[in-house]
Amino acid sequence: MMSPQQVEGMIKAKLPDAQVQVQDLTGGGDHYQVTVVSSQFADKGLVQQHQLVYGALQQAMSSEAIHALALKTYTPEAWQATN
């Protein structure tokens, strides 16, 4: 089980400029919805953006501390356009 703060910390360790929102979907600490906004996503496709985030969470996912992850990624410009 991981806390939302731990998930956020792992992502920010790999993507220091990221704005991260983490929501525990079930209350069990292993199913999360994560929104990440980072300039490092510029000029990358959606799959590449998600791979960056999965890379940051690889240890937690391989140990099944995180069982399920719903992921949304945005560049700062795309994030502003959606809000």
Side-chain angles (χ1 to χ4, degrees), residues 6 34 38 55 77:
Q6 288 173 303
V34 179
S38 174
E77 296 78 17

Side-chain angles (χ1 to χ4, degrees), residues 1-60:
M1 176 167 33
M2 297 191 69
S3 72
Q5 294 80 12
Q6 288 173 303
V7 174
E8 180 179 349
M10 291 177 79
I11 294 169
K12 286 188 171 187
K14 289 278 189 173
L15 302 167
D17 76 319
Q19 297 173 27
V20 183
Q21 297 173 350
V22 182
Q23 181 182 0
D24 187 340
L25 295 176
T26 63
D30 63 351
H31 289 70
Y32 287 103
Q33 177 172 304
V34 179
T35 302
V36 183
V37 180
S38 174
S39 61
Q40 292 188 46
F41 296 150
D43 300 322
K44 290 184 174 48
L46 190 59
V47 170
Q48 291 172 311
Q49 293 175 16
H50 286 204
Q51 287 173 334
L52 285 173
V53 178
Y54 282 124
L57 299 173
Q58 181 178 5
Q59 182 179 1

